[in-house]
Amino acid sequence: MAEAVSLMDVDGEENHHLKPNKGKSVVAAPPPDGKATPWVEKYRPQSLADVAAHRDIVDTIDRLTSENRLPHLLLYGPPGTGKTSTILAVARKLYGAQFHNMILELNASDDRGIDVVRQQIQDFASTQSFSFGAKSFVKLVLLDEADAMTKDAQFALRRVIEKYTKNTRFALICNHVNKIIPALQSRCTRFRFAPLDSIHVTERLKHVIEAEGLDVTESGLTALVRLSNGDMRKALNILQSTHMASQQITEEAVYLCTGNPLPKDIEQISHWLLNEPFATSFLRIYEIKARKGLALVDIVREVTMFVFKIQMPSEVRVPLINDLADIEYRLSFGCNDKLQLGSLISSFTRARCALVAAAK
């Protein structure tokens, strides 16, 4: 089985700074009213051919499924990259109309203890496999957000996998593979789902926009793709929430709906940081932050991206980016906004002095 996945990106470094989306529901039963259905479920891929990206991984899993050689799977990577959709599409291909009888879906962030492994999972795995006509199928246990499981539960799951591997396949999905014990990792074929390319996000968004008959400007679509950061679920959620708030989805409407600072606001703030005295910068940034209801952590994050784009000697850029990372880290723990705004302006003051010294 190992040679079948030798060309896949199964052991690459993942983005550990991305936080798992613990609010995600694995079992999706669409409401009767289609208009009330969240678009992330309404437009979830129903087959492997519909999965937007990662064709190399999807094609390999598709081939293993067709050849009846499906191994235990460990799919990992940032949220919204198609992990759950891929497994559900595999289950639909395997079981068809018997889909709900042959799969056990659990969200491990809710059902994370050892009792769940000993009761629900073991009870399901211990029952006999079903036969449809002359063909027999293994069952599938889907554990979403498996990195939230306790260590004891993971060790218990390892023993269940060993005992029932003849009639049950296990698919583990997580954001951070380093939180899965080595004993479980070694029993699964690993696939890494990287953040989606902007091209794939754009194509999928255009499909939804056309299906829903939305009025979306080019700048609005660009804003959706930019704010999604390769997370298709996030892109669809922003699109739907913006549509509910505004008839026309423009760049300004998208940023207003999400609470993110507009690019023109970041350019203005960066201009003040690079050119104005400390007191003037503090008052102007604090005023625009309060008037537009912006979070300082979002301002710092966007300013950091702005610093990457402008021309600046590396001996000035690197210390400045390190300072900005420290400020963002402190803000994530609830440090005082005014103090951190002062730190932000001070960091740019030091950078300006370094730029003047370098010019001389």
Side-chain angles (χ1 to χ4, degrees):
M1 199 75 65
E3 67 274 7
V5 295
S6 60
L7 298 179
M8 298 300 98
D9 182 10
V10 297
D11 290 313
E13 291 297 323
E14 61 276 14
N15 295 324
H16 294 294
H17 67 284
L18 292 174
K19 296 181 180 179
N21 182 5
K22 296 301 180 187
K24 181 178 61 164
S25 174
V26 179
V27 183
D33 182 6
K35 294 182 179 179
T37 308
W39 289 353
V40 292
E41 296 301 338
K42 184 177 181 180
Y43 294 101
R44 183 185 289 278
Q46 296 300 302
S47 68
L48 290 171
D50 294 334
V51 178
H54 308 299
R55 291 313 311 175
D56 51 353
I57 296 176
V58 172
D59 289 344
T60 298
I61 295 177
D62 190 15
R63 177 164 50 82
L64 293 172
T65 304
S66 299
E67 296 172 357
N68 200 26
R69 297 194 299 134
L70 186 68
H72 303 302
L73 297 173
L74 173 57
L75 311 184
Y76 66 97
T81 52
K83 303 183 297 295
T84 303
S85 295
T86 299
I87 289 300
L88 291 177
V90 166
R92 289 189 184 94
K93 177 177 180 177
L94 279 173
Y95 311 126
Q98 299 295 326
F99 170 82
H100 293 291
N101 296 326
M102 297 293 291
I103 182 171
L104 174 66
E105 300 176 72
L106 294 173
N107 190 314
S109 63
D110 299 323
D111 308 306
R112 63 194 302 268
I114 193 171
D115 290 340
V116 173
V117 176
R118 289 175 174 170
Q119 296 172 12
Q120 289 180 257
I121 297 177
Q122 186 162 334
D123 288 348
F124 178 80
S126 61
T127 58
Q128 293 296 318
S129 297
F130 291 89
S131 297
F132 309 141
K135 193 171 184 180
S136 180
F137 291 87
V138 295
K139 294 167 296 180
L140 181 64
V141 176
L142 169 57
L143 283 173
D144 211 340
E145 301 185 23
D147 46 358
M149 294 180 71
T150 63
K151 289 291 188 290
D152 288 341
Q154 291 191 41
F155 279 110
L157 180 61
R158 177 201 63 180
R159 293 191 289 272
V160 172
I161 290 176
E162 290 175 344
K163 187 173 182 180
Y164 299 108
T165 191
K166 287 186 177 180
N167 67 322
T168 306
R169 290 294 176 268
F170 291 80
L172 280 61
I173 299 174
C174 66
N175 299 134
H176 305 297
V177 72
N178 61 314
K179 294 184 180 180
I180 303 297
I181 61 172
L184 273 183
Q185 292 189 39
S186 66
R187 286 162 174 78
C188 301
T189 300
R190 309 194 321 174
F191 294 99
R192 177 179 180 267
F193 282 65
L196 300 183
D197 293 334
S198 58
I199 296 175
H200 293 119
V201 177
T202 302
E203 288 176 352
R204 193 63 178 172
L205 285 176
K206 286 181 177 179
H207 167 73
V208 175
I209 290 167
E210 182 179 352
E212 295 291 333
L214 305 181
D215 182 7
V216 182
T217 65
E218 194 65 33
S219 61
L221 180 60
T222 301
L224 287 167
V225 174
R226 181 175 182 272
L227 291 177
S228 70
N229 291 316
D231 183 337
M232 194 67 239
R233 186 185 304 113
K234 185 177 181 180
L236 289 174
N237 282 331
I238 295 174
L239 176 63
Q240 187 171 17
S241 59
T242 307
H243 169 62
M244 294 170 67
S246 175
Q247 287 297 317
Q248 186 181 49
I249 300 175
T250 63
E251 179 186 53
E252 188 168 357
V254 170
Y255 279 94
L256 182 64
C257 184
T258 58
N260 287 81
L262 283 160
K264 63 181 181 181
D265 292 334
I266 293 300
E267 289 181 12
Q268 181 64 75
I269 290 171
S270 300
H271 174 78
W272 292 334
L273 289 169
L274 288 167
N275 297 281
E276 298 292 342
F278 184 98
T280 304
S281 292
F282 189 96
L283 290 174
R284 289 181 173 176
I285 296 174
Y286 193 81
E287 187 275 332
I288 194 173
K289 172 182 172 296
R291 175 164 49 86
K292 296 201 171 187
L294 303 176
L296 183 58
V297 66
D298 290 331
I299 293 175
V300 173
R301 191 177 296 118
E302 294 297 327
V303 166
T304 302
M305 298 304 297
F306 182 83
V307 170
F308 276 109
K309 295 176 184 176
I310 61 176
Q311 290 186 347
M312 186 180 293
S314 59
E315 60 269 21
V316 179
R317 189 197 309 273
V318 173
L320 177 57
I321 290 175
N322 288 338
D323 287 345
L324 295 176
D326 288 340
I327 294 169
E328 184 178 347
Y329 178 78
R330 292 194 293 269
L331 285 169
S332 68
F333 283 94
C335 290
N336 184 277
D337 268 22
K338 289 186 177 180
L339 288 177
Q340 298 311 314
L341 177 55
S343 296
L344 173 65
I345 299 170
S346 297
S347 298
F348 273 86
T349 301
R350 289 193 294 271
R352 285 159 59 182
C353 293
L355 285 172
V356 171
K360 293 180 179 179

